[in-house]
Every structure is written in C-alpha cells, then in structure tokens.
Amino acid sequence: MSKKLRMGMVGGGPGAFIGPVHKMAAELDGKTELVAGAFSQSAERSRAAGVNFGIDPARAYASYTQMFETESKREDGIDFVVIATPNYLHLPVAEAALAAGIAVMSDKPATATYDQALKLEAAVSKAGLPYGLTHTYAGYSLVRDARSLCAAGAFGPIRKVAVEYLQGWLSQPLETTGQKQAAWRSDPALNGPGGCIGDIGTHAFHLVEYVTGLKVTSINAALRTVVPGRKLDDDCNALLRLEGGASGTLMASQVAAGERNGLRLRVYGEKGSLEWHQEDPNRLSVKWLDGPEEIRHAAGGYLSADALAVTRLPGGHPEGYIEAFAVLYREFAEGLLAWRADHTHALPATLPGIQAGVRGMRFIERAIASSRAESWVDF
Ligand code: NAD
C-alpha cells in the first residue's frame, strides 16, 4: 500500500477552476495522492473527471455521501477530503466527512454564512479531526517573511494597513452567459450573502490579520452592486480599526476593469513599512523612515526562518501560486501525520484553520451589516 496520504476531492469536475490546482498542489511534495473523488453533482461528469485525473474508475463516485460511506470502510480509504465546490456545500460536505472520521482541507470561504461557520467550528471540535483552510496567499514565502518582520517589531507599532484586491472579470454580467464560475458566485443560494466581499474580500481580510498579527475590531464598509441586475455586491470600500490603535482600508472589487488578480498589502509602522503584491510575489519591498528602500527577494539567505522553511528553489527561480498552495498542503500533511501519533497534535500555526474560517465569515457578516446600517460596526 502506498505510504502517501490518500486524498479524496469534492468538486473539481470538468471545467472547474480550483479542483485541478488542489491536485497539483497536494501532490507537489510527494506526500499526498489523489485517489478518489465526487467531482461533480453529475455521476457521468464525476467519472469523466476521474479518468482525466487518472484515478481508479471505481473511486470516482456519484456523490460525496457515497464516497465517504465507501471510503471509510476501505482499508486503503481516503485519509482526508478536499472541498472545492461552490460555497453552499462547504458545511454539509465537511460535516459528512467529519462524521465519517475523515479529516478536512477546505477551500475558502469556510462556509456560505456566519451561522454555518459556527456550526462547522462545533463539528470540528466535536470530531477532534484536523481541519485546514486554503487561504492560498498565506503559503507565499514573502508573506511569511512579512509576518515574521511584523512579529519581530521591525517597523515599531503598526499604525496603518492598506489592502486591496482588485479584479475586473465581473465587469460585465458574465453570470447571464452561462459562465460557470460567475453563475454560482452571483447566486446568493449557492454563494452566500457576500459576493465580492466573500469571494476575494475574505482573502484580503485574512492577509491583514495573518501578516500583522492584529485582529480587526470594527469596520465601516460600503458594498455596492455596480452591474445592473446582479444579485450580490461586486465592489467594496471599507475602513478598518485594528487592535493596538491601528487603522486601515480594505478595497475589494470584481468590476475594476483591466485588473487581473491585484491583491496588494501595505503595512505601515512607526519606523518603516512593507509592501507585497501577489502578481509579483517573489519581491517584498521594505521602506524605512530614514533609510533607503530594500527589496527582499524570495530565497534570499537573509529572509526569516519561516520564509526559508517554505522556500523550494534558489533565488531568481520564481515560485508562484501552485507552490504557495503546496506549502499549505505540505503543512497539512505533516500536521495530519503528527496528529495520527497522539490524536491531539494541532496543525502548524502558520496553516489557516477553523479559527481563520470563522473570522472570515464574521468579516463578511459584519461588512454586510455595516453597509446596510451605513455606520461602523464592532466585530
Ligand atoms: P467551479 O465552479 O470552477 O468548480 C466547482 C466544482 O464543484 C464544479 O466542478 C462542480 O461540478 C462541482 N460541484 C458542484 N456541486 C457538487 C456536488 N454536489 N458534488 C460534487 N461536486 C460538485 O468553482 P471554483 O472557482 O473552482 O471554486 C470552488 C471553491 O473554491 C469556491 O468555494 C471558491 O471560493 C474557492 N476558490 C478558492 C481560491 C483560492 O485562491 N483559494 C480560488 C478560486 C476558488
């Protein structure tokens, strides 16, 4: 029997975006192998995806319930499941997996609503099984470096953060053309109540708390729907207050025409600041109040231990999205193996988990409440 961890997937059917990325990332370090899946709500499409992924055809299931039932009885059954479906399925799939004794790696947002996130938190705690959440950007070495610099107090007390996540792909009513990814993201029943704020605002919010180590305490958000007829927000501007007196701005938009995946974080302390851009992820700019600007390059020997721990290649050999995703999978696999030894071992603190999931869902819920009330709301 293979010594690799065995992964099942829910979602990732023909034409899906993120499912195939999960497979590449999970398998990159040779610790995990995709062996089973319920890849689509259609049995036929699930089978087709299974063939494409090269798994045993008998393990391409017609539904996730069938997969958990069958796999939990096999001696070589799956060790964990990855959830890569539209958001409304995240809670039921995770609950069914946990009930069958199967650990969970889920894509974000953790659930479709904040109430569901609280239910999921209770289910994870009751099952006592590992749960990881793929906030991809947490896997970049220079995000880890930025986090280490903030934790070491390199910039003095943090005073201001500015995060923006700008995309342009929903500038037209793409959801009316049958485009799959746009269709479910624009349907409140399949997506949840937060459109752009849930889809990419949660990544921006997570990045702020992950890098600064500070919690957001209140928010004043203005959500809008720019494209006529769209049922959910597609554009957001928000002010933030953080622990320790820092303040910030969070801008998220999917109607910023011409932008692709423009996630950028700036953090300002008393003595200096940092800037990281996910479309140029192998450089971290550090600026000082009284000194020249520094560019920290991925794989530089001067980077923090946390950054070097997730570096694979020598400098000048760019690492990107799949490698960052794979960092999260490597930490999940190592955490799951350690957990098996004593059933108490927590996953590494660098890997987002259920707490990050609940925070993200609280963020969406608070942003919507603030926008409706047109005022500040506390977290
Ligand atoms: P998608 O529409 O491309 O893929 C969703 C897949 O789920 C499809 O193959 C669909 O057939 C399948 N599916 C639907 N119902 C199912 C069911 N009952 N059983 C089995 N499969 C089912 O969507 P996507 O863009 O890949 O997004 C999927 C999830 O990943 C979303 O929650 C999204 O927020 C998240 N996501 C995360 C990132 C990231 O950077 N971490 C990026 C993109 C998407």
Side-chain angles (χ1 to χ4, degrees):
M1 206 185 290
S2 166
K3 289 207 177 94
K4 291 182 183 180
L5 287 171
R6 294 175 295 271
M7 176 172 93
M9 184 182 291
V10 185
F17 167 29
I18 212 69
V21 175
H22 279 275
K23 174 177 157 59
M24 288 186 264
E27 295 183 345
L28 193 69
D29 286 303
K31 292 181 188 300
T32 297
E33 184 181 14
L34 177 73
V35 298
F39 301 106
S40 165
Q41 60 277 58
S42 136
E44 196 187 323
R45 290 174 67 76
S46 184
R47 263 196 306 278
V51 170
N52 199 29
F53 286 138
I55 66 164
D56 174 357
R59 296 174 87 174
Y61 296 94
S63 71
Y64 64 85
T65 46
Q66 192 190 42
M67 173 165 77
F68 297 146
E69 203 187 318
T70 311
E71 289 289 325
S72 58
K73 289 184 195 134
R74 283 178 74 122
E75 201 194 327
D76 64 348
I78 56 174
D79 297 299
F80 74 97
V81 67
V82 52
I83 305 174
T85 63
N87 306 342
Y88 80 103
L89 286 165
H90 293 188
L91 175 68
V93 175
E95 281 183 330
L98 295 168
I102 294 165
V104 174
M105 183 72 144
S106 177
D107 218 317
K108 47 52 64 181
T111 52
T113 67
Y114 179 57
D115 285 352
Q116 288 182 1
L118 296 177
K119 277 194 194 138
L120 178 60
E121 187 179 33
V124 170
S125 154
K126 185 172 164 215
L129 287 160
Y131 173 94
L133 187 71
T134 53
H135 270 300
T136 319
Y137 306 105
Y140 282 93
S141 66
L142 289 177
V143 168
R144 298 279 170 104
D145 196 51
R147 175 178 156 103
S148 295
L149 288 169
C150 290
F155 309 114
I158 290 166
R159 292 173 162 174
K160 184 172 179 69
V161 297
V163 67
E164 61 189 51
Y165 199 157
L166 302 178
Q167 298 181 335
W169 69 292
L170 290 177
S171 292
Q172 303 290 336
L174 199 57
E175 61 271 34
T176 61
T177 67
Q179 207 269 11
K180 222 166 102 117
Q181 283 80 22
W184 71 257
R185 280 177 173 80
S186 307
D187 181 344
L190 305 181
N191 177 84
C196 169
I197 197 74
D199 196 33
I200 57 173
T202 43
H203 274 309
F205 172 80
H206 180 261
L207 193 63
V208 166
E209 293 200 335
Y210 188 80
V211 168
T212 65
L214 300 173
K215 293 257 181 293
V216 173
T217 54
S218 54
I219 183 166
N220 191 341
L223 307 186
R224 311 191 287 158
T225 304
V226 172
V227 171
R230 180 163 285 157
K231 295 193 189 113
L232 290 169
D233 63 277
D234 51 20
D235 183 70
C236 164
N237 296 308
L239 301 176
L240 308 174
R241 290 189 189 123
L242 293 94
E243 289 170 333
S247 69
T249 59
L250 184 152
M251 190 162 55
S253 182
Q254 292 179 312
V255 295
E259 295 289 354
R260 290 173 299 271
N261 201 37
L263 171 61
R264 182 166 69 133
L265 175 69
R266 284 169 287 170
V267 178
Y268 298 91
E270 192 184 321
K271 297 187 279 188
S273 60
L274 66 80
E275 176 171 352
W276 181 79
H277 198 312
Q278 96 82 33
E279 289 185 1
D280 189 11
N282 291 289
R283 291 156 63 94
L284 176 70
S285 159
V286 173
K287 300 172 204 169
W288 301 107
L289 176 64
D290 200 10
E293 179 177 358
E294 293 169 14
I295 303 294
R296 294 165 75 89
H297 292 275
Y302 45 80
L303 296 181
S304 62
D306 275 4
L308 292 174
V310 298
T311 299
R312 297 161 195 280
L313 296 171
H317 298 72
E319 298 193 34
Y321 192 72
I322 291 170
E323 288 88 347
F325 234 113
V327 163
L328 304 184
Y329 267 101
R330 191 167 71 195
E331 291 181 336
F332 184 80
E334 287 167 358
L336 183 53
L337 289 169
W339 173 85
R340 276 186 174 171
D342 58 8
H343 282 213
T344 57
H345 207 90
L347 293 176
T350 41
L351 174 69
I354 188 63
Q355 273 80 34
V358 173
R359 282 295 289 171
M361 295 314 299
R362 180 68 170 161
F363 161 72
I364 299 170
E365 187 268 336
R366 292 286 77 194
I368 294 172
S370 161
S371 187
R372 287 200 181 128
E374 296 189 0
S375 72
W376 284 96
V377 297
D378 288 337
F379 260 61

